[in-house]
Amino acid sequence: MRIGSFILRRLLLSIFVLIGLSILIFIIARIVPGDPARLALGPRAPVEVVERLRKELQLDKSLPVQYWIWLTNALHGDFGKSLVSKRPVIEDIKEYLLATLELVFFAAIFMVFFATLLGILAARNKDRWADNLIRMFAYIGVSIPAFVLAIFFVLIFGYTWPILPVLSRLSPQFDVPRVTGFMIFDSLFAGNLNAAWNAFTHLILPVVALALAGTFQEARIMRAAMLDNLTKDFIAAEKGYGIPERIIMFKYLLKPSMIAPLSVMGMDIAAMMGIAFLVELIFNWPGLSRYGINAMLYKDLNAISGTVMIIGVGFTLANIVVDVIVALVDPRIRLAGVSGE
Amino acid sequence: MDNKILLEIKNLHVWYKVYGGYSKVLQGVNFLVREGERVGLVGEAGCGKTTTMKSILQILPPGDFHIPRGQIFYKGQDVLKMSFKEIQRLRSREIAMIFQDPTTALNPVFTIGNQIGDVIKYSTAFEENVYKEKIKIQSIKAIKEVYLPDPERIHINYPFQLSGGMRQRVCIAMAISSPRNLIIADEPGTSLDVTIQDQIHRLLNKIVEKRNTAIILITHSLGVAKEMADRIYVMYAGTIVETATPEVLFKNPVHPYTKGLLASVPKISGGGIAKGIPGKIPDYLNPPSGCRFQLRCEQESPICSEKPPQLFEIEKNHLVACYLTKR
């Protein structure tokens, strides 16, 4: 099928994006002032010891050589050892990344589902109260950053009206063996429904804080696309042929109206990986954020490069997935360059 | 020999709601189509041709229009008083409309086969799955009937993979994919180049002749109407100003607008640019009282601004709405 070649093309293109990203990360990490070896050993370490560590970390070599060493290792999944945790960076990332991914994954589902639903609702009730309410929330969503919303949530649901957990991924009384790294799925695999429910309640607030602003904005884009398509000749024609309303609504109107919101959602979902840093910090979510921030504060070069690189890969993959979904919906993109012959 | 009346529009008024009031587009349209008749509807852009046709099928933009007066009888039943179910039946079994612009009349994200298939599915008693194959056969047959090459391939193509002329043929295929008693062709081919336009007109002519279907051909070219129609309606600013057979209309036009329209047809054999009619269509928000053509009319008199002239039969099948005929 033609979608196969489309995916292949996108994957090949993304290799160049990732090479560019790796060079950028490497340069930024190396030009930040301060000596990583000195930082790792502390101010009172003797000069010879610091020099030995510099050699060990190959910080004495030229920058291109350092980059080449770093890149070949990175391709093998080896980002070196973290100067702070003294463990291989990839091990640290494995431990924390999935918690972040869990958050982003469910936030993405939340956003796609509710944005579509609210978009249809707003379009069908154009200029009535439901539409106005969604519009109001969209404006509020744009003007309040996710981390402020997160702080409000912690205040309201953790202090004033404590009905939902606001800290960590799972209450301490549960112990679930790690299989997928996603707490809900792990609990379900373990057959522990109570733990799964507990993990779910822990997810609600961070997920909503992360996804809410985007959800309302996407809903607005969805609304606009639907109302725009509603005035098109093809809808009038389909109506004129006596095709039932529900078929027009959910087949002929919905599909072309999904294209614009889907493309924007792709960007938003990818950006969530970054925004998740702040939300995680507030909800004490054991994700990549705390690890990444500590890495930056201690100038833990390997950890910084590793973390950013992994997030970059995630970002790129999320974009490819969305592009593929858009291409599946829109034949004009899928078959671009393929003539009707 | 007069056939039975298929469609009769009586004194139809349609207003669009716009900022600051109502745009009074149609002011008493009277229109008649007999079974198997080919009717041409001629008029300038914006004179309400499409609005009239869309109101027959009730596909005017939802919520933005208002019909203060008028009746549309189809086979003796008033469309404006029909239940939703009856309208759906009218749309799916009786009348088909071909839209003006083939680039926007087809849904961009579904295959041709899918779109024609749905028209067939809901115009007959077919159930999905059971008759899927039958629907496919019937839609490929429709594609063949409009002389498109390789119907099997067109069936799985998307609109953007076809040229404008091919898309217009697809639109026609959709209209004839199941039997109808009336086809409304809204300026088919206006957005295509002349040779393709000519092909489309020939095709339509062939189809209605073969099937004995009634057709309303909307056009702004009197030449096309003369060639294709048994009877021509001339429309100006939301009113029918004159109707006659092409022969009578071309030989003996009575309404000043019809005369102007005929004088505007450029002649290939010299004579320079045609005469045309000065001025433009009146503002529908505040239309002049009385005749809507008075501002551009050279033979205007005080009575013209009192009340709109009614259609008046000056000879058999030749009706004119102008006070000149009664003086």
Side-chain angles (χ1 to χ4, degrees), chain A residues 104 266-267 269-271 273 312-324:
Chain A
V104 172
M267 310 279 286
I269 291 168
M273 312 246 326
V313 172
F315 198 101
T316 316
L317 281 180
N319 262 323
I320 291 177
V321 169
V322 171
D323 280 356
V324 169

Side-chain angles (χ1 to χ4, degrees), chain B residues 46-313:
Chain B
C47 73
K49 302 180 298 259
T50 305
T51 297
T52 310
M53 294 306 125
K54 281 187 171 173
S55 47
I56 299 171
L57 281 172
Q58 305 273 290
I59 50 173
L60 293 164
D64 294 344
F65 68 93
H66 176 56
I67 302 180
R69 270 188 296 282
Q71 289 146 312
I72 301 170
F73 292 103
Y74 183 82
K75 288 186 173 170
Q77 205 188 351
D78 190 349
V79 174
L80 299 178
K81 292 199 178 94
M82 277 185 183
S83 69
F84 182 70
K85 220 175 155 185
E86 288 170 315
I87 288 170
Q88 285 293 81
R89 201 193 165 278
L90 183 81
R91 290 167 171 171
S92 58
R93 310 279 172 90
E94 297 288 343
I95 306 175
M97 183 159 170
I98 299 161
F99 279 68
Q100 181 174 358
D101 184 357
T103 55
T104 58
L106 294 169
N107 199 312
V109 296
F110 291 94
T111 59
I112 305 295
N114 198 336
Q115 298 185 53
I116 298 186
D118 266 358
V119 171
I120 294 172
K121 184 173 151 194
Y122 293 107
S123 65
T124 44
F126 289 154
E127 298 276 333
E128 205 180 10
N129 305 324
V130 188
Y131 291 105
K132 229 172 185 165
E133 272 309 303
K134 216 168 167 183
I135 289 174
K136 194 187 166 191
I137 292 167
Q138 198 172 331
S139 53
I140 286 180
K141 197 175 139 240
I143 298 172
K144 260 186 207 149
E145 260 183 280
V146 293
Y147 303 101
L148 278 167
D150 200 352
E152 296 273 346
R153 200 201 75 217
I154 304 271
H155 195 260
I156 55 164
N157 271 165
Y158 289 92
F160 76 98
Q161 293 171 305
L162 307 179
S163 70
M166 288 165 100
R167 281 188 231 185
Q168 191 58 278
R169 280 164 196 266
V170 167
C171 292
I172 295 172
M174 212 178 255
I176 61 165
S177 60
S178 54
R180 313 266 169 166
N181 289 315
L182 175 63
I183 290 175
I184 299 170
D186 186 358
E187 308 193 29
T190 301
S191 55
L192 308 171
D193 57 86
V194 246
T195 51
I196 308 286
Q197 194 178 338
D198 192 52
Q199 286 175 14
I200 296 287
H201 286 141
R202 275 169 210 281
L203 175 68
L204 269 175
N205 224 358
K206 217 176 200 169
I207 285 166
V208 291
E209 239 159 47
K210 199 168 87 186
R211 302 187 163 210
N212 199 25
T213 309
I215 186 170
I216 302 173
L217 180 79
I218 305 178
T219 171
H220 36 230
S221 156
L222 269 172
V224 170
K226 186 187 175 188
E227 231 176 274
M228 298 252 325
D230 301 327
R231 208 150 48 80
I232 298 176
Y233 279 93
V234 180
M235 194 166 179
Y236 179 76
T239 50
I240 298 292
V241 294
E242 186 162 3
T243 169
T245 58
E247 299 78 39
V248 172
L249 197 77
F250 272 77
K251 216 188 316 172
N252 179 26
V254 174
H255 197 284
Y257 177 68
T258 317
K259 286 181 186 164
L261 211 56
L262 282 167
S264 309
V265 179
K267 295 187 179 57
I268 293 178
S269 51
I273 292 174
K275 199 176 144 214
I277 308 169
K280 56 179 182 1
I281 281 186
D283 175 15
Y284 288 134
L285 259 178
N286 298 298
S289 61
C291 177
R292 286 194 164 182
F293 189 61
Q294 55 181 292
L295 300 176
R296 296 168 76 179
C297 188
E298 287 170 355
Q299 288 153 285
E300 189 208 349
S301 64
I303 190 179
C304 295
S305 55
E306 274 171 27
K307 66 183 181 79
Q310 297 300 309
L311 274 176
F312 177 77
E313 191 162 28

Side-chain angles (χ1 to χ4, degrees), chain A residues 192-231:
Chain A
N192 192 341
L193 288 180
N194 286 335
W197 174 249
N198 187 270
F200 177 73
T201 55
H202 276 85
L203 264 171
I204 293 173
L205 289 179
V207 161
V208 174
L210 192 56
L212 204 64
T215 303
F216 282 106
Q217 287 164 56
E218 287 353 320
R220 293 282 297 161
I221 295 174
M222 181 84 200
R223 169 194 185 271
M226 283 184 86
L227 289 178
D228 181 43
N229 281 325
L230 207 55
T231 64

Side-chain angles (χ1 to χ4, degrees), chain A residues 153-154 157-158 161-167 197 200-202 204-205:
Chain A
F153 281 174
V154 172
F157 296 105
W161 197 31
I163 52 163
L164 282 172
V166 291
L167 292 177
W197 174 249
F200 177 73
T201 55
H202 276 85
I204 293 173
L205 289 179

Side-chain angles (χ1 to χ4, degrees), chain A residues 113-223:
Chain A
F113 181 75
F114 282 101
T116 313
L117 202 72
L118 292 174
I120 296 174
L121 194 74
R124 294 214 72 166
N125 295 291
K126 186 188 168 218
D127 294 331
R128 277 182 270 184
W129 65 265
D131 183 26
N132 289 330
L133 201 70
I134 290 165
R135 178 177 320 173
M136 194 182 83
F137 275 111
Y139 291 143
I140 295 175
V142 189
S143 37
I144 301 183
F147 67 90
V148 176
L149 205 62
I151 292 172
F152 277 135
F153 281 174
V154 172
L155 266 177
I156 295 167
F157 296 105
Y159 182 72
T160 325
W161 197 31
I163 52 163
L164 282 172
V166 291
L167 292 177
S168 80
R169 305 171 75 186
L170 198 65
S171 299
Q173 72 263 31
F174 296 106
D175 186 33
V176 176
R178 188 185 159 109
V179 187
T180 59
F182 279 28
M183 211 53 100
I184 285 195
F185 297 151
D186 285 353
S187 310
L188 289 176
F189 280 137
N192 192 341
L193 288 180
N194 286 335
W197 174 249
N198 187 270
F200 177 73
T201 55
H202 276 85
L203 264 171
I204 293 173
L205 289 179
V207 161
V208 174
L210 192 56
L212 204 64
T215 303
F216 282 106
Q217 287 164 56
E218 287 353 320
R220 293 282 297 161
I221 295 174
M222 181 84 200
R223 169 194 185 271

